[in-house]
Structures are given as structure tokens and as C-alpha cells.
Amino acid sequence: MKKFCVKKLVLLFLIAVFLCVYIVQLATSGNTETRIVETPSFDSIEIQWKDGAEDINLKLVKKDGKYFTEKNNYEADVSSVEEMENAIKSIKILGTVASSVSGNEVRYGLEEENAVTVNVYKGNKKVRRILVGKDSSTNTRSFVCLDEEDKVVTVQGAFHGIFAVTEETVRSKSVYSTDSNLITKVHVKTAEEEYELSRIVNGSDAGVQWNVTLNNTSVQNPVPDTSKVRSWLNLISSLDAGEWQGTDTALYHENADVEVEITAGVNTYSVKMYKGAEENSDVQVTCSATPYKFTVPAYFVNRFGKHLDDIVEHENAE
């Protein structure tokens, strides 16, 4: 009987010990805690990481509501920057996975050759530091360390995918963009023809009408098809670069294959296209909206250098 009581007391004591350990672990562990960390206002984002053997040091600075790269003053892609801003502004912490980085670098992608360091500034004052490790296999979570804290937490979002960028990959591809309804004149010059399409200002009941000029002379025929013209203007109202080229890149040849001048409101965009040596090779382009040359797919030649016959009315058309 006495031995039974002793065993019972020992068992109760062990249960009490395990219960205390559990309570302490529950109180100190953040694994089940979800919380939001808000970042103060900021106007620049500094990104440092290794792209293979190359050290990437990129800084994005906000000017007049847009972000530009500090090094070459390239405008940054809007969607890429919005992803960064959203990730930084409100960080959703899903839990703590390690109390220290030490010994866990490889497991969470926080070793020097794989981690991304993000420093966020307001003016010259640093308001947040995010050490970014790897993303989860589903790209819905990532491992990070915030500010000067040593512990590793999981956060919502693919932070590594968002911040592991270079100046070229984050650079905006937009050359120009305007409302097609603002376009009042288009001048087209190709090897086959040269014409100018200009909008006629009429009363509201008459709708939008267009005039054709050939050899600097306004003509009655052919008559532009307003529906076809509208569709065409929608296509040329914006232009994105396929790939940017360096400022010292030579043109494929001296004379442009297509020259288009678009007047939209107070802006005029002069676009010149140069075909490559191969029939379906990318086309080289210069535009007055940017000092940089760039390339676009071959079909852009027909998109911008539209034949007049393709946008006019045809008497026998069904």
C-alpha cells in the first residue's frame, strides 16, 4: 500500500512538472500567434543581395509619387513597387520558428549568399530592416528577421520573390501611355506610303470624323472608317519596351522602316522602327518619350505602320 502511494505521488509530481513546462512553452512561443506589424511612412527602399557572384545594391527613391532607381534614375515598374510597398507597410507575422538565426541560417535561407537585406528609409532615417530568407514551397509564406531582432518569424507573402530584384528587372517597360480619345493626329511614313490622319472637330451630333492628307493635300477619298480608326488608335495609344538597350547600342541601319508621329493633347510622340536582319527578329525602336533604344516584336511594324487601305471605307465591303 505504501509503495502504491509513493508511485502515485511521483506520478502526480511528474504530471505537475510537465504541465508547468507546457505552460511556460505556450507563454514564450509565438508559433500560434498572428499579429500585424505596421511600418511608419517611408520614401526609399534599399535592397542588398547576391545574384550568383554579383553583389546587388539597389536603392529605389520616391519622387512625385513614383519610384526611380538611384543609380541610373530609371522609373521603376509600378506593379513591382506596389508589391514591395504593400509587403513593407503591413507585415503579417504568422509565428516564430526559431529564437535565434544562429544555427538556422541554411534551414531558413538566411545565410549571406541567399538572404536579401531590405532597409526602409524616411529621408535619411531608417524606419525598418527586414532580413529576408527563403519563401515556402507554395510562395505564400517566407522566413524573415525584423529590425534588430534575432528570432526568425514566418510572414504572409513571398518576400524573397518580391525583393530579390535587380535594377533591370524592376525597371518599368512603359515608354508612353495616353488616352486614345486624346489622339487628334497621326502621321505615318513607310517605304510604301506616307499619309496623315487628323481629327475633324464637329458638333457633338456629328460624332468623331477624320480627314486624310496625302502629299500635304487634304483629299475627299479615301474616307477613313471611324470604327477601324478607333480600333487602331487603341493599339498605338501606349507603347511598352520588350527589352531595353544600352545608350551606346548602334541602330540596325541608318533609315527607319516605319516613322509614326502621334499627337495626343499637348503631347507628341515620335516613334521610329528599324527592322532586324531576319524576317521575324525583334524590331529596334527609338521614341521621343525616352532617350533609350529598345526592342519590340516584329509584328509592331504593321501595328504602327498601318496601311491606309486598312483603315478606310470600301464601297464593296459587306
Side-chain angles (χ1 to χ4, degrees):
M1 178 66 80
K2 186 180 290 187
K3 288 183 178 181
F4 177 77
C5 290
V6 171
K7 288 181 178 179
K8 190 174 182 180
L9 288 173
V10 171
L11 182 60
L12 290 173
F13 175 76
L14 290 174
I15 291 173
V17 170
F18 288 135
L19 181 61
C20 290
V21 171
Y22 174 74
I23 292 172
V24 170
Q25 287 181 333
L26 191 63
T28 57
S29 173
N31 289 342
T32 57
E33 177 191 4
T34 299
R35 59 192 175 94
I36 304 295
V37 174
E38 302 288 349
T39 299
S41 174
F42 57 92
D43 53 25
S44 63
I45 305 168
E46 183 182 63
I47 299 170
Q48 299 171 333
W49 64 294
K50 286 183 178 292
D51 185 12
E54 184 181 0
D55 289 328
I56 304 298
N57 290 282
L58 170 67
K59 190 167 186 179
L60 301 171
V61 181
K62 196 171 189 178
K63 304 174 186 176
D64 300 323
K66 298 180 179 180
Y67 277 90
F68 296 83
T69 64
E70 186 179 57
K71 182 180 179 181
N72 289 306
N73 200 39
Y74 296 151
E75 184 177 342
D77 177 67
V78 173
S79 61
S80 297
V81 170
E82 284 182 348
E83 272 195 314
M84 293 183 190
E85 283 192 313
N86 291 335
I88 294 169
K89 284 178 181 178
S90 186
I91 303 171
K92 187 174 184 179
I93 298 177
L94 304 174
T96 301
V97 294
S99 59
S100 175
V101 176
S102 181
N104 293 297
E105 295 92 343
V106 176
R107 182 178 183 183
Y108 298 116
L110 293 165
E111 67 272 39
E112 183 180 354
E113 58 268 29
N114 287 316
V116 180
T117 301
V118 181
N119 292 312
V120 185
Y121 295 88
K122 177 66 174 179
N124 294 322
K125 181 183 178 182
K126 186 190 293 186
V127 296
R128 174 121 294 146
R129 173 186 176 271
I130 310 172
L131 180 64
V132 180
K134 62 184 179 181
D135 296 334
S136 67
S137 58
T138 57
N139 287 327
T140 57
R141 302 183 179 191
S142 49
F143 302 103
V144 308
C145 294
L146 290 180
D147 300 324
E148 303 310 314
E149 293 183 353
D150 190 41
K151 65 181 179 181
V152 183
V153 299
T154 54
V155 297
Q156 184 171 289
F159 275 44
H160 196 278
I162 292 172
F163 292 104
V165 296
T166 66
E167 185 175 49
E168 284 302 317
T169 60
V170 79
R171 184 180 181 183
S172 173
K173 294 295 183 69
S174 177
V175 177
Y176 72 80
S177 181
T178 188
D179 186 339
S180 62
N181 293 318
L182 295 178
I183 297 177
T184 55
K185 186 167 61 177
V186 183
H187 188 102
V188 177
K189 181 181 179 181
T190 66
E192 293 81 21
E193 61 185 350
E194 182 175 1
Y195 67 90
E196 185 172 282
L197 196 67
S198 56
R199 191 165 69 184
I200 302 171
V201 179
N202 285 321
S204 58
D205 293 338
V208 176
Q209 293 182 309
W210 297 88
N211 180 65
V212 174
T213 300
L214 295 172
N215 300 318
N216 297 317
T217 302
S218 178
V219 296
Q220 297 297 318
N221 289 297
V223 177
D225 184 308
T226 55
S227 178
K228 293 178 181 178
V229 170
R230 187 184 309 111
S231 297
W232 178 46
L233 296 185
N234 285 334
L235 290 175
I236 65 173
S237 62
S238 64
L239 178 61
D240 291 344
E243 295 293 336
W244 292 106
Q245 295 186 325
T247 54
D248 57 348
T249 302
L251 290 170
Y252 292 160
H253 42 81
E254 183 177 355
N255 297 317
D257 296 287
V258 172
E259 296 182 42
V260 181
E261 188 172 271
I262 302 165
T263 302
V266 297
N267 298 310
T268 298
Y269 306 104
S270 177
V271 179
K272 295 183 179 181
M273 296 186 170
Y274 303 79
K275 294 180 182 179
E278 302 296 329
E279 183 179 353
N280 293 318
S281 61
D282 284 348
V283 174
Q284 196 176 41
V285 186
T286 64
C287 180
S288 58
T290 176
Y292 303 102
K293 303 179 186 73
F294 56 96
T295 61
V296 295
Y299 65 83
F300 273 59
V301 167
N302 293 329
R303 171 180 290 187
F304 277 77
K306 179 73 73 175
H307 291 297
L308 179 59
D309 190 58
D310 293 333
I311 55 172
V312 297
E313 295 178 354
H314 295 280
E315 290 183 3
N316 296 326
E318 294 182 359

